[in-house]
Each structure stands twice: as C-alpha cells, then as structure tokens.
Amino acid sequence: MASEFTLYYDPLSQPSRSILLLLKVIGAPHKVHLLKLLEGEHMKPEFIKVNPLHTVPVLVHGDFTLTESKAIARYVLNTHKSDDHWYPSDPKKRARVDEYLGYEPGNTRKAGVDIIVNILFKPMQTRKPITEEKIKEVMGNLDKVLTGFEEYFLKDRPFIAGEEISIADIFAVSEIRQPEMSGIDYLSSHPKVSQWMDRVRVATQPHFDEVFQEFGDFTTGDWRARLNIP
C-alpha cells in the first residue's frame, strides 16, 4: 500500500484544516494540493475527476480515494501508526469521540455555517447588508450551541474524551473557530470554550499555528473589501 497520503484542501474549509492538522500531528507522510473554493477551483474538470462531488477535503492513498472528513480521519489513524489517544481503543472514550463527531454536523458546524452564509455570502450575492435582527438570530443560535458544548462535552474535562486530546477536539476547534470570519466576538461569554481551545492549540503545536495561519490571515484582514461585501 502507498505510504504517502495526498490531501486536497482549502484552508478556509473547517474539515480540511482538521485533516491537515491530524496528518501533521501524527507525522503521517503527505503532500497537499491547495484548492481555492472561493475561486471555483473545486468545479474544474481536473478536480472533478478526483472527486465528482467537488468537495474538500479529499484524501488519495494510492488508488484509494475518500471524500468525507470523518472517514478520512479514521482511515488515516487505522493505516498510520499513531498514539492511541487520537482515536482511543477504550470503548467508552472512543464512544465519546464518536458521539461528538455525530453531534457536530447539525450543531457546531451548522451554527458556524449559518453565520458565514448570512453574514458573508448572502450579502455578497444580494448586495444587501445583513440586518441586525438576523445577526442576533444566528449569533444567538451559536451561543446556545457553545453553551451545550461547554455543559455536556467539556464539563470539567480538559478535552472531549477526557484527559487527552483526540480527533474530536481537532474537528471541534476548527468548527468553533470558523465564525471568526464574521468579525463578531462570540467567545468572551464562553471562557471554558476559550480555555479548551488554548489547550488544543498547545497540544498540537507547532502544527496548529501553521495550519491556521492562512485562515487567521484571512479573518483578520480586510476580507469584506476583497470579496466586495457591503
């Protein structure tokens, strides 16, 4: 079997960042193909040959291709030797990881995506600024999700599965950072989430800063002007 993984990714894509960070922290040999979604590169024929679903991330390993990030993470950990804590063999810890991964699409991901769609993409498409009422609605939904994340998934634990970091934390931190693109403060009322994010960052350095650098540059720059958003 091929030893090197090939990852197609966009740094603005939450699951893309998660997979790249995982590959780096476990020392898996890999190469990266940058794909700029905002420029429509995922719709080009050469990429559609790789993934007809035209989504990222995509992992290619020899003649084997995967297009769903959770499946990619599990496959990488099943085929590349790594520390057990990333996807624990202990049934209860693994169940906790899987529980969060199952919870994520309709909760942390949905809340973050709703903010980006309503604050970034809809104004860009309609040429009309978002209303204060809509901002309060989407930010309120995110606040509820973060409260639930604190009260259930973190509680008094340093990481989602317990004392050690896992892929659940890697996926969660990428999703929870995504609303930074809104330019609105949403973490000051959730210190437990902020502290957990700091622990994830420390536990995955120096790779965390490297993976999130371009995303951070985008969110702190004048992205509204670059995307012509009113």
Side-chain angles (χ1 to χ4, degrees):
M1 178 178 288
S3 60
E4 184 178 62
F5 299 102
T6 298
L7 177 68
Y8 292 80
Y9 101 120
D10 183 322
L12 299 184
S13 156
Q14 309 94 299
S16 288
R17 296 192 300 266
S18 299
I19 297 301
L20 182 59
L21 182 56
L22 175 63
L23 290 169
K24 287 180 176 293
V25 295
I26 67 171
H30 64 278
K31 60 183 178 181
V32 172
H33 283 275
L34 176 64
L35 211 67
K36 297 180 180 180
L37 300 181
L38 291 178
E39 296 181 15
E41 292 183 354
H42 59 304
M43 301 302 293
K44 291 184 176 180
E46 55 267 33
F47 178 66
I48 293 177
K49 289 180 181 178
V50 177
N51 178 17
L53 301 175
H54 46 80
T55 57
V56 291
V58 176
L59 188 84
V60 178
H61 195 210
D63 60 356
F64 185 66
T65 301
L66 280 173
T67 63
E68 287 294 326
S69 60
K70 308 303 190 296
I72 290 172
R74 293 182 177 107
Y75 176 78
V76 167
L77 292 171
N78 284 332
T79 55
H80 181 83
K81 185 175 176 59
S82 57
D83 293 336
D84 182 74
H85 62 83
W86 291 113
Y87 194 45
S89 55
D90 176 88
K92 291 182 179 179
K93 291 180 180 179
R94 177 168 288 200
R96 188 67 68 198
V97 171
D98 287 335
E99 180 181 39
Y100 172 77
L101 296 180
Y103 166 89
E104 182 180 273
N107 294 277
T108 44
R109 166 163 275 250
K110 183 179 185 302
V113 168
D114 283 349
I115 288 171
I116 302 309
V117 167
N118 285 283
I119 295 180
L120 194 159
F121 290 114
K122 281 189 177 179
M124 181 172 61
Q125 293 167 349
T126 65
R127 312 309 308 150
K128 295 179 181 179
I130 186 174
T131 64
E132 288 298 321
E133 182 181 4
K134 192 62 178 180
I135 290 176
K136 289 181 181 179
E137 177 188 333
V138 295
M139 297 307 294
N141 291 339
L142 177 62
D143 185 69
K144 291 177 183 177
V145 167
L146 293 179
T147 297
F149 183 78
E150 287 177 320
E151 294 178 351
Y152 183 75
F153 285 101
L154 291 181
K155 294 184 180 178
D156 57 352
R157 299 186 290 263
F159 299 104
I160 291 173
E163 295 299 315
E164 295 182 288
I165 192 171
S166 70
I167 56 171
D169 300 283
I170 285 183
F171 276 101
V173 76
S174 193
E175 294 291 346
I176 292 174
R177 283 201 62 179
Q178 194 73 359
E180 291 177 16
M181 294 174 71
S182 71
I184 299 173
D185 172 36
Y186 60 95
L187 287 174
S188 59
S189 58
H190 296 280
K192 184 179 288 188
V193 174
S194 295
Q195 293 162 9
W196 161 79
M197 290 173 73
D198 287 340
R199 289 193 292 272
V200 174
R201 180 176 178 270
V202 170
T204 56
Q205 288 291 45
H207 308 294
F208 187 95
D209 286 350
E210 179 184 353
V211 169
F212 279 87
Q213 180 178 351
E214 190 167 349
F215 172 74
D217 291 346
F218 185 88
T219 58
T220 57
D222 189 8
W223 55 267
R224 283 183 176 272
R226 279 184 283 153
L227 295 179
N228 195 25
I229 298 172

